[in-house]
Amino acid sequence: MNILLLGSDGRNTEKNIELGGARQDADRKPLADVQMLVHVSADRSNMSVISIPRDTRVAIPQCTDPKDGHTYPETTAPINESLQHGGPGCTVATWKALTGIYIDHFMMVDFAGVVDMADAVGGVPVCVDRNVYSHDSRGHGSGLKLTKGTHSVQGVQALQWLRTRYGFEDNTDIGRAKAQHMYMNSMIRQLKQGTKLTDPVQLRDLAEAATSALTVDEGLGSVKKLYDLGGDLQRVPTKRITMITMPWQYGPGERYVVPKPGDAEATFGMLRSDVALDGKDTKKKPEPAPSPSTPKNKLAVVVQNGTDGARGPAGGRANDIQERLVALGYTGARTDSRLTSQADTALLYKGAAQRGDALALAKALGLPGSSVRESSSVSTMRLVVGEDWRTGTEFPAASGAGGGASAHQAPKSADPLNAEKDSSACMTVNPQYTF
């Protein structure tokens, strides 16, 4: 089960303006500044949570706003802007296109909702390694003020912790995501050690608070469904809960980040295959590959150049690979001249009926199985040639996860945090924001 959690920065109510400031943004469409995917394994033996930094530059697919019918064209932009292209449905579509992971549900919360949920949960212990005051003369900061050590935060103070960027580590969204992981791990420990998830009355109270504090999809849109979800999550052992940040690297001028080639795709592939990020899963038997259903000379394939990333586009990649496909017998291959940005080469197919064809094509090109992804955003099979394949027509054999990544454990670049083992973790305070 995959649930996408979104934190909206909307200032659409007086309460949200009071909590978030920036009254001048009251009429601006909200951004999804917090985005994390909760993956609960099929057997409920483990849970993995992956955050994507808000400034990550990605391809946002064409989306239509269900409220006014306006259609937004496909574009490349920071992932937090996806919420402005038609609401949470577009952010879900963006995640699907980027990761190849099927999203079952979403939950979205604004500033006021965070405060309400934090009060419903109760105090959550958090730790800082020195005094911190997230505030400066230019108006930057969440207002969080804590002395060195461990403190229990809830309500407005919990929101301040979750919003703090100026004051933690390098004053960027990367440090903020880590603070959010620490809060979530601590919250889970508190809930599982107490009775809120095991006492039916308390669990129902929590579910009722969630229905008013959260915007959710229809699949979770009732007290009973949220109640059942809470009971389901109670089954996951604390020691098997892992929080990570998507492996990333800076783009030009360090103005934004992009998925780190190899490591990011390895991580997404683990979640698609329901492999725990903590490295404690036994090897799962791969499902047998389905047979192709379409003769290769009849298969429609669109090839697109996805190397428009930090290093700039590598010219002619779509044409080179399209010609290679034709030589292999895929005479229905054609090109899409539009450039896009894709860290790892991806072969996208529409539905389960095309999976056998996609796997056969991937094998013909020497692509890894992890590159083959089902996607609702494509109508025709689409091969996006990524940053990991900038030259040649043979996929690089050595391409893949680096930095200690393997098929059975999150790479070190994901900065993993375990809910039990790292229970004493403290956030590193930036020296500019101490007192």
Side-chain angles (χ1 to χ4, degrees):
M1 177 170 59
N2 296 307
I3 305 173
L4 186 61
L5 304 182
L6 305 176
S8 158
D9 75 344
R11 272 81 170 178
N12 54 340
T13 67
E14 282 300 318
K15 183 66 173 176
N16 281 330
I17 291 173
E18 177 188 337
L19 292 168
R23 181 175 290 274
Q24 69 274 13
D25 290 337
D27 295 326
R28 169 178 61 73
K29 285 189 174 183
L31 299 163
D33 276 355
V34 177
Q35 300 190 24
M36 53 180 72
L37 182 72
V38 178
H39 172 84
V40 188
S41 67
D43 60 7
R44 304 303 186 252
S45 68
N46 65 84
M47 185 170 85
S48 302
V49 179
I50 178 172
S51 291
I52 291 185
R54 68 172 190 175
D55 295 326
T56 304
R57 196 166 178 83
V58 298
I60 300 175
Q62 177 178 298
C63 295
T64 300
D65 191 326
K67 292 182 178 178
D68 60 17
H70 180 76
T71 297
Y72 295 84
E74 179 181 345
T75 187
T76 299
I79 196 168
N80 67 341
E81 293 182 13
S82 59
L83 190 63
Q84 297 182 328
H85 289 228
C90 192
T91 305
V92 168
T94 301
W95 271 75
K96 286 181 179 178
L98 174 67
T99 68
I101 298 169
Y102 181 80
I103 312 293
D104 297 287
H105 304 290
F106 75 84
M107 296 181 175
M108 186 167 68
V109 63
D110 59 14
F111 298 145
V114 169
V115 172
D116 291 344
M117 280 304 299
D119 280 335
V121 167
V124 172
V126 294
C127 178
V128 287
D129 68 352
R130 67 174 81 184
N131 297 352
V132 62
Y133 183 31
S134 179
H135 177 77
D136 66 17
S137 59
R138 294 170 294 173
H140 292 148
S142 68
L144 179 72
K145 191 171 187 179
L146 297 173
T147 55
K148 178 182 177 180
T150 300
H151 302 265
S152 181
V153 298
Q154 68 181 89
V156 173
Q157 200 170 42
L159 174 65
Q160 291 174 333
W161 175 274
L162 294 167
R163 292 189 66 210
T164 295
R165 179 160 61 104
Y166 294 98
F168 288 153
E169 298 195 344
D170 60 354
N171 297 332
T172 69
D173 198 48
I174 308 302
R176 174 162 55 186
K178 188 171 183 177
Q180 291 164 356
H181 294 163
M182 285 187 183
Y183 177 90
M184 287 185 67
N185 274 341
S186 185
M187 179 184 71
I188 290 167
R189 290 193 297 269
Q190 289 290 102
L191 289 172
K192 290 173 73 67
Q193 289 165 6
T195 58
K196 287 186 183 290
L197 293 181
T198 55
D199 181 281
V201 175
Q202 292 189 55
L203 180 55
R204 186 171 184 84
D205 288 344
L206 197 59
E208 287 178 345
T211 58
S212 59
L214 304 172
T215 299
V216 300
D217 63 87
E218 291 181 1
L220 293 176
S222 71
V223 172
K224 183 183 184 304
K225 289 174 180 176
L226 289 170
Y227 177 95
D228 291 344
L229 176 62
D232 215 22
L233 295 179
Q234 170 66 13
R235 296 166 53 192
V236 181
T238 307
K239 64 182 180 182
R240 296 298 311 281
I241 297 173
T242 306
M243 308 265 172
I244 68 165
T245 299
M246 177 199 72
W248 56 274
Q249 65 186 30
Y250 277 116
E254 300 190 358
R255 291 177 288 115
Y256 57 85
V257 302
V258 294
K260 185 175 183 179
D263 281 7
E265 173 52 31
T267 306
F268 300 151
M270 289 176 66
L271 296 178
R272 290 196 300 269
S273 302
D274 196 22
V275 175
L277 297 179
D278 61 9
K280 295 180 181 178
D281 263 357
T282 55
K283 271 196 174 182
K284 299 198 174 183
K285 212 171 185 181
E287 295 181 5
S291 300
S293 60
T294 307
K296 60 183 180 181
N297 65 328
K298 301 289 186 183
L299 187 66
V301 185
V302 176
V303 185
Q304 187 174 13
N305 187 343
T307 63
D308 191 20
R311 291 185 284 172
R317 296 304 294 143
N319 286 328
D320 291 345
I321 305 306
Q322 183 264 347
E323 290 172 3
R324 174 63 177 160
L325 282 172
V326 170
L328 290 169
Y330 289 92
T331 52
R334 59 185 177 85
T335 62
D336 181 339
S337 60
R338 295 174 300 171
L339 285 170
T340 188
S341 178
Q342 178 76 38
D344 298 89
T345 296
L347 179 57
L348 309 177
Y349 63 94
K350 177 66 176 177
Q354 281 196 327
R355 181 163 177 79
D357 297 317
L359 288 170
L361 189 151
K363 184 177 181 180
L365 285 175
L367 298 174
S370 60
S371 67
V372 179
R373 311 174 191 170
E374 185 173 353
S375 174
S376 60
S377 66
V378 298
S379 55
T380 301
M381 192 174 297
R382 179 172 292 262
L383 175 62
V384 185
V385 184
E387 286 284 340
D388 57 349
W389 197 12
R390 293 176 64 87
T391 60
T393 56
E394 296 290 334
F395 189 75
S399 179
S406 73
H408 298 286
Q409 188 167 10
K412 293 177 182 177
S413 58
D415 199 11
L417 202 66
N418 180 270
E420 183 172 281
K421 184 179 70 174
D422 298 315
S423 59
S424 59
C426 278
M427 274 307 296
T428 301
V429 174
N430 188 290
Q432 299 173 12
Y433 289 85
T434 192
F435 65 94

